[in-house]
Amino acid sequence: MHFVVVAILLVANPAAALWPQPRQITTGKTALRLSSSFLSNIWNPNVPSDLSDAISRASGYLRKDKLEALVVDRGASSAGAIKSAKSLGSLTLSLTSFGASSTDTKTRSISEEAIDDVESRQEGYTLTIPADGSGAVLKANSTLGLFRGLTTFGQLWYSLDDSVYTLEAPIDITDSPAYPYRGFMLDTARNFFPVADIKRTLDAMSWVKINTFHWHIVDSQSFPLVIPGFTEISTKGAYSASQVYTASDIKDVTQYAAARGIDVMAEIDTPGHTAILSKSHPEHIACPEATPWAQFANEPPAGQLRIASSATANFTAALLKSAASLFPSKLFSTGGDEINANCYAKDAETQQELAQSGKTFEQALDTFTQINHKALRDVGKRAVVWEEMVLDHPVTLANDTLVMVWISSDHVAAVAQTGHKIIHAASDYFYLDCGGGGWVGQNTLGNSWCDPFKTWQKSYSFNPTANLTADEAKLVLGGEHLLWTEQSSPNNLDSIVWPRAASSAELFWSGPGGDAGKALPRLHDASFRFVQRGVKAIPLQPLWCALRPGACDLNS
């Protein structure tokens, strides 16, 4: 099956411009222009509509990016070579198989493949661009792979006057991810983020091949998710009637994400981080807004689900089951972090329930967790938890439960020893909010708990298999950057996330061990291209440095 796109304004320079760096790439030294007349023709009528849309978007970027080369003269000295260069007229997209199995007869869409089991997603592709102007060819055995290849193709080109060109033809790329999970987490409970901001973030994620949006959608401060059968929670728990995510909003976001090769994994943290539920269901919450809050929670307001209550466990299971029905993903996180024992110790109803059942706190937590995870399994979801659920609490988890390591990268080995598959989310490498200063009041000299600021170089230096045996290393699915939003809103979303979050995108696509010094010019390119596309990524250096690779290195 072949889809043909006759090129118009495409854009090139892989070694300098691509992010993430392909696993295998060879380039030449020949200038090549793209045709000045572009027709987006897809000759096969069975092409999935989201792939057709992706080709149209790629064509649009190629027309609008107008990114000049990041050199002192912005490419002017190459004008002669560009003017006399041959012209590339077409890119042929070739699907080499029909889908998940050889018996498939229908081409699966990007959206369908984006939500496959994380271990089975196929994202590899090959891309060949000859130097003689004959057609370029993009091949993959999945539409998701074709989409990743289109993303690469769109990064290959620079603009000069009316020309879109590369100086490095021919180009041959064979590419596939080192790790299947490459994520970004956004907390929309501390502060609310409109759907438009989430969509812009999803676009940016797709440009660097991030494939999972971990949506920490609710927390103690607010509950913006409108859940069928439980609408009273958001009615009383959202910041306002306009600051909610309806079922229509969720469908909009998940479909938008899937069409860009991104799975949306929702998280409803339990049993902690649930104080807001006391506004609609006070019977289910222990120590609601208890003070001083620091004795009852890691941050205000205090309040946790009453894990010893069978009524609360059943309520929570029904809530999670209904919420999970809104999200097509096979993954759903129930959290499990920062459970405060003192909250339960001081809650008379919890203590009474424990006494009547003869259970300890840990036994009650185990029962609570099993009830909730069974509810998720019943609707086809695979549970994801924070590390405390395997390191601090002896709860019973299904073997396929995924564990996110967040407190410290030093805890990865201990989690691996439990046999569960791992998603890296370590605060000492991947927390984007670190270094912003303390946000609680009456704390004049306070710093953020996870100081210092985590630079892109820091996350880029991470080794996903450090201190793991060969067998334990196989448990690592990938990792993600995370933004907790106590001090973030739509006003600074782009600047705090980009381009830093792109560093883990390359780490988990290309693999660890990259040279940050050599990577910097490429990350400059990615950041500048983001800005051209409407994402307000911050500069990594003064423009003087960006135009002179290596000149601002510490040892230069």
Side-chain angles (χ1 to χ4, degrees):
M1 179 175 295
H2 293 78
F3 314 123
V4 178
V5 180
V6 183
I8 166 181
L9 274 163
L10 306 161
V11 200
N13 197 327
L18 294 185
W19 197 279
Q21 180 82 322
R23 305 288 294 283
Q24 297 179 41
I25 180 170
T26 60
T27 62
K29 297 181 179 180
T30 302
L32 180 68
R33 289 183 297 114
L34 296 189
S35 172
S36 60
S37 58
F38 177 73
L39 295 175
S40 181
N41 293 328
I42 305 171
W43 301 115
N44 191 298
N46 297 318
V47 61
S49 61
D50 56 9
L51 179 58
S52 177
D53 292 343
I55 294 170
S56 296
R57 286 197 307 276
S59 300
Y61 292 143
L62 296 168
R63 286 194 301 270
K64 298 174 184 177
D65 278 356
K66 297 188 182 302
L67 179 64
E68 296 179 328
L70 294 182
V71 294
V72 174
D73 67 2
R74 306 311 296 266
S77 58
S78 301
I82 295 167
K83 184 176 181 180
S84 62
K86 292 185 177 180
S87 179
L88 177 66
S90 68
L91 170 68
T92 300
L93 282 72
S94 176
L95 188 64
T96 56
S97 70
F98 283 97
S101 72
S102 59
T103 60
D104 287 336
T105 58
K106 177 180 177 292
T107 303
R108 301 177 71 218
S109 66
I110 299 170
S111 299
E112 290 172 314
E113 294 180 345
I115 62 172
D116 279 342
D117 290 328
V118 61
E119 296 95 335
S120 64
R121 295 172 195 162
Q122 299 181 51
E123 300 179 88
Y125 65 92
T126 62
L127 176 62
T128 302
I129 303 176
D132 61 3
S134 57
V137 178
L138 171 61
K139 294 182 179 181
N141 62 6
S142 67
T143 51
L144 187 57
L146 289 177
F147 178 68
R148 300 301 182 215
L150 270 176
T151 301
T152 298
F153 187 77
Q155 296 177 345
L156 288 171
W157 312 90
Y158 293 111
S159 293
L160 181 67
D161 299 325
D162 294 328
S163 294
V164 180
Y165 70 94
T166 176
L167 299 176
E168 296 193 339
I171 300 166
D172 287 286
I173 295 172
T174 300
D175 201 13
S176 62
Y179 292 95
Y181 184 105
R182 306 172 307 281
F184 168 69
M185 190 218 78
L186 179 65
D187 158 25
T188 60
R190 270 71 177 201
N191 284 301
F192 182 81
F193 293 78
V195 167
D197 294 287
I198 294 174
K199 284 184 171 181
R200 187 178 67 257
T201 302
L202 291 167
D203 280 328
M205 291 165 60
S206 74
W207 300 335
V208 290
K209 301 183 176 68
I210 293 175
N211 69 355
T212 306
F213 176 46
H214 174 187
W215 194 351
H216 188 92
I217 196 166
V218 300
D219 210 288
S220 278
Q221 292 81 6
S222 77
F223 202 106
L225 178 61
V226 181
I227 300 177
F230 298 86
T231 56
E232 71 282 359
I233 298 177
S234 54
T235 297
K236 295 186 177 182
Y239 283 129
S240 72
S242 64
Q243 292 176 301
V244 296
Y245 303 110
T246 64
S248 177
D249 292 328
I250 300 301
K251 183 178 181 180
D252 187 17
V253 169
T254 56
Q255 289 184 344
Y256 192 90
R260 286 152 182 79
I262 298 170
D263 191 18
V264 179
M265 178 183 76
E267 178 186 353
I268 295 182
D269 204 349
T270 62
H273 294 272
T274 49
I276 196 66
L277 293 175
S278 67
K279 302 302 181 184
S280 55
H281 294 276
E283 70 276 15
H284 294 308
I285 299 299
C287 67
E289 299 188 16
T291 57
W293 63 262
Q295 296 181 13
F296 299 92
N298 280 54
E299 64 180 54
Q304 301 179 154
L305 286 161
R306 286 184 166 130
I307 57 171
S309 165
S310 58
T312 298
N314 292 332
F315 162 82
T316 306
L319 174 70
L320 293 174
K321 189 173 183 178
S322 184
S325 69
L326 297 170
F327 296 89
S329 176
K330 295 178 174 61
L331 302 177
F332 196 96
S333 175
T334 60
D337 64 318
E338 298 181 335
I339 301 172
N340 187 288
N342 188 51
C343 173
Y344 292 129
K346 299 291 178 61
D347 184 62
E349 292 189 32
T350 295
Q351 292 305 308
Q352 182 180 358
E353 293 276 4
L354 289 174
Q356 289 176 348
S357 66
K359 292 181 178 179
T360 64
F361 156 72
E362 296 291 357
Q363 289 170 333
L365 178 61
D366 184 36
T367 300
F368 177 87
T369 302
Q370 289 193 58
I371 290 172
N372 291 326
H373 284 194
K374 181 181 183 301
L376 291 176
R377 284 196 301 275
D378 288 346
V379 291
K381 304 300 183 183
R382 179 180 186 181
V384 182
V385 298
W386 296 110
E387 65 177 77
E388 290 97 319
M389 298 302 276
V390 297
L391 296 184
D392 296 344
H393 306 291
V395 297
T396 304
L397 300 173
N399 290 336
D400 68 349
T401 303
L402 304 183
V403 180
M404 307 194 81
V405 180
W406 72 274
I407 296 175
S408 171
S409 57
D410 292 337
H411 297 179
V412 173
V415 173
Q417 289 167 14
T418 70
H420 288 285
K421 291 187 176 179
I422 294 167
I423 298 171
H424 288 295
S427 59
D428 49 332
Y429 283 87
F430 301 117
Y431 271 31
L432 293 165
D433 54 304
C434 298
W439 58 269
V440 297
Q442 297 297 318
N443 189 28
T444 304
L445 301 178
N447 294 316
S448 62
W449 73 271
C450 54
D451 270 5
F453 182 90
K454 304 301 182 283
T455 67
W456 76 267
Q457 295 99 319
K458 175 70 173 178
S459 51
Y460 194 76
S461 72
F462 183 72
N463 181 357
T465 59
N467 302 315
L468 300 182
T469 67
D471 286 338
E472 290 170 346
K474 296 175 183 177
L475 298 172
V476 176
L477 290 182
E480 66 182 30
H481 264 94
L482 307 90
L483 178 59
W484 302 103
T485 61
E486 289 89 348
Q487 295 178 293
S488 297
S489 73
N491 296 325
N492 68 340
L493 174 62
D494 290 3
S495 61
I496 201 167
V497 175
W498 306 111
R500 279 195 293 160
S503 61
S504 64
E506 174 154 304
L507 169 69
F508 293 111
W509 178 281
S510 308
D515 184 319
K518 293 179 180 178
L520 178 57
R522 291 187 296 104
L523 190 54
H524 277 308
D525 264 281
S527 184
F528 275 66
R529 197 176 297 277
F530 272 33
V531 172
Q532 293 296 99
R533 295 180 181 181
V535 173
K536 296 179 180 179
I538 61 169
L540 294 169
Q541 291 180 319
L543 180 59
W544 190 93
C545 303
L547 300 180
R548 296 165 175 83
C552 296
D553 290 355
L554 187 61
N555 58 359
S556 177

